Amino acid sequence: MRLFDPHIHMTSRTTDDYRAMAAAGIAALVEPAFWLGQPRTHVGTFDDYFASLVGWERFRASQFGIRHFCTIALNPKEANNPAVADGVMALLPRWLEKDGVVAVGEIGYDDMTPAEDKYLAAQLELAKEHQLPVLVHTPHRDKKRGTERTLAVLREVQFPEPLALIDHNNEETLPLVLRTDCWAGHSIYPDTKMDEARMVELVRRYGPARILVNSAADWGISDPLKVPKTAAAMRAAGIAEADVAQLFWDNPVRFFGQSGRLELAEDKPAADALFEGNSILRGQAAR
Amino acid sequence: MTELPTRFARIAREVGRAGAEAARIALLVEEDVDPAAAADLFRHGDNDERRAILRALPRLRDPARFLPLAIDACRTSVVPVFEAIACDNPFPTTHFPDANFNQLVLKAVFVGVPLGRVVGLHTRLSPELSRMARDYAAERRAAGRSVPDDLALIAGGDA
């Protein structure tokens, strides 16, 4: 079965990871723009980072037969850095126009500061202007309050809830999200956040509708195979195959498909497609 | 927003992916982009946009102005972007100095791009390119690896 990891930071991962992910059935992924583990001090480094998300990383994934999509935003943590925040906001409109950019994200709260309020609201407006969904990070600390506040802000600015994916949920925040029309993401981590067994219990209790599961693997202690491992745990626990398919493929495809930019079919530009029909030239291939 | 960067980025969603490259090339020609504008679009482009810019170079006014961009593009590790300048594109054979052209040809062999797609290769054969090809063949043999057939096209005798 094809699997979709709707949140993974591949710039931090190796080609061994790509190979293992492809072998485990991952056919598509979304890489949200986020922070790099330490603060950036120049706006230009964001320009280069966004370029790598729509260029180099997309090519790296393609070498393993994985479709790579991304989301672009000023992340919540660096929204608190006045040296870069406004400069990054000025870069966003250009990057948000790219093919394969399937949402504005990660946006949301980290410390729940006034600066985070300001840039969350501004980026919700950007998403409306660019007709994109949003991928919303929820804080590690004071998570329940942060999630409530996030949902309240979405209502205040009348952001269409079906276009919002609220991420990193747990037992306490999932019911809050499901009471709205937002989608709910879950990050399966080795030690923190959510784990496979607890995820199975959540699906047993709430069903598969509007629920997404991701690895959120990055440069920290994390596991890029958590999506296939959680899918296996679902099957082992007797979750119906149709529900597993919905959770690990249909739901992310439906959510990010709302961008109109989730091109899942591999297609080549016309010039090369023509060329590849020419067997004479092909015969000269070097390997 | 109908500025050039926005229109350039959006084309595939307007005309479909199959016609996107041709439409992007037409837009660059129509806008008569200068080297600074082309470099800016390239730096901020995704892989498809970068390919279209490189494909457009021979059709732009006074193409020699775009030599620095074309040479820099050869440093990419994204094979489809490298192919857009190295393959089926008359720009390198017309404008590249020998050192850059030789590097392009050897890189094509390295990444497995057929040399038959390098336009005008036979007009740019040189003793230096032959030496590079023979040295590369020797390096491959010393490592116990296969020697790419295409090296024979540039080695000027036995590879």
Side-chain angles (χ1 to χ4, degrees):
Chain A
M1 189 182 85
R2 297 184 295 184
L3 301 169
F4 196 128
D5 191 337
H7 184 148
I8 182 165
H9 301 287
M10 294 311 299
T11 49
S12 306
R13 311 303 309 191
T14 64
T15 49
D16 282 355
D17 289 336
Y18 267 124
R19 189 163 46 200
M21 289 163 66
I26 294 175
L29 61 83
V30 169
E31 173 156 13
F34 83 142
W35 88 302
L36 297 180
Q38 69 165 15
R40 281 167 279 202
T41 57
H42 304 275
V43 172
T45 64
F46 283 83
D47 232 3
D48 294 338
Y49 175 59
F50 297 147
S52 75
L53 291 182
V54 302
W56 175 229
E57 209 53 51
R58 210 175 266 179
F59 171 69
R60 288 216 311 151
S62 74
Q63 291 177 292
F64 300 89
I66 295 175
R67 298 291 288 167
H68 181 284
F69 305 93
C70 66
T71 75
I72 297 282
L74 170 66
N75 64 82
K77 212 178 264 277
E78 288 173 302
N80 295 300
N81 181 353
V84 300
D86 284 329
V88 175
M89 289 298 293
L91 300 178
L92 294 180
R94 189 164 184 182
W95 292 106
L96 289 174
E97 284 298 332
K98 303 300 178 191
D99 293 335
V101 174
V102 291
V104 176
E106 299 179 49
I107 57 175
Y109 288 117
D110 180 47
D111 281 341
M112 288 189 270
T113 62
E116 291 170 28
D117 273 327
K118 172 184 162 185
Y119 291 111
L120 171 57
Q123 293 187 95
L124 289 171
E125 288 307 314
L126 263 184
K128 287 184 193 170
E129 285 166 26
H130 290 265
Q131 298 179 302
L132 284 170
V134 291
L135 171 57
V136 190
H137 168 92
T138 53
H140 307 286
R141 302 169 300 279
D142 208 4
K143 178 178 280 290
K144 190 173 178 187
R145 177 62 60 86
T147 306
E148 286 167 346
R149 188 156 151 188
T150 301
L151 295 170
V153 169
L154 290 173
R155 271 193 301 275
E156 276 164 32
V157 304
Q158 296 181 301
F159 192 86
E161 289 177 345
L163 288 174
L165 168 55
I166 313 297
D167 214 346
H168 316 311
N169 285 285
N170 61 23
E171 288 80 358
E172 297 195 309
T173 61
L174 176 58
L176 303 176
V177 175
L178 289 181
R179 274 204 287 274
T180 70
D181 288 327
C182 299
W183 299 65
H186 302 79
S187 299
I188 314 299
Y189 254 43
D191 303 318
T192 58
K193 296 191 169 95
M194 178 59 57
D195 67 30
E196 290 96 318
R198 289 162 56 204
M199 195 66 232
V200 169
E201 286 311 308
L202 287 176
V203 169
R204 277 204 177 116
R205 179 155 179 199
Y206 297 101
R210 285 189 287 130
I211 288 184
L212 280 75
V213 179
N214 62 67
S215 72
D218 56 16
W219 28 254
I221 295 170
S222 50
D223 179 352
L225 298 181
K226 281 299 190 189
V227 162
K229 285 174 182 174
T230 308
M234 296 277 172
R235 288 199 187 90
I239 303 287
E241 194 60 32
D243 289 352
V244 177
Q246 183 180 347
L247 288 163
F248 294 95
W249 187 263
D250 301 343
N251 282 351
V253 168
R254 278 181 57 206
F255 177 76
F256 289 110
Q258 296 178 101
S259 68
R261 305 193 207 169
L262 193 80
E263 275 285 345
L264 286 162
E266 180 90 50
D267 57 350
K268 296 208 166 187
D272 283 317
L274 262 181
F275 170 76
E276 283 173 8
N278 187 329
S279 59
I280 297 167
L281 290 171
R282 283 290 277 180
Q284 293 176 358
R287 65 179 184 209
Chain B
M1 281 209 307
T2 51
E3 293 163 15
L4 176 61
T6 303
R7 288 160 64 201
F8 194 65
R10 286 188 144 163
I11 279 177
R13 302 198 292 282
E14 285 163 6
V15 306
R17 267 205 82 192
E21 189 162 292
R24 283 192 170 120
I25 292 169
L27 180 60
L28 295 174
V29 171
E30 176 192 310
E31 291 285 318
D32 189 25
V33 292
D34 64 17
D40 178 70
L41 286 174
F42 192 85
R43 189 161 77 81
H44 293 91
D46 69 13
N47 295 331
D48 289 346
E49 289 176 278
R50 290 181 176 196
R51 284 177 53 89
I53 293 163
L54 297 173
R55 292 282 192 221
L57 295 184
R59 303 194 204 178
L60 297 176
R61 187 169 51 80
D62 190 5
R65 297 180 297 160
F66 299 90
L67 181 61
L69 170 60
I71 287 173
D72 193 49
C74 289
R75 302 195 174 98
T76 183
S77 297
V78 178
V79 176
V81 173
F82 176 72
E83 284 177 323
I85 185 69
C87 300
D88 317 314
N89 189 333
F91 190 93
T93 195
T94 309
H95 300 287
F96 273 29
D98 287 343
N100 303 104
F101 188 83
N102 292 348
Q103 283 292 334
L104 177 150
V105 172
L106 207 59
K107 181 164 178 170
V109 178
F110 261 78
V111 301
V113 169
L115 289 187
R117 295 182 66 190
V118 177
V119 174
L121 175 64
H122 63 283
T123 69
R124 298 292 302 262
L125 296 177
S126 65
E128 176 64 2
L129 183 57
S130 300
R131 181 200 62 75
M132 290 167 76
R134 285 194 305 272
D135 282 358
Y136 180 46
E139 180 187 316
R140 297 279 304 181
R141 276 194 291 268
R145 294 184 169 151
S146 65
V147 176
D149 294 342
D150 273 12
L151 276 181
L153 297 174
I154 53 175
D158 293 337

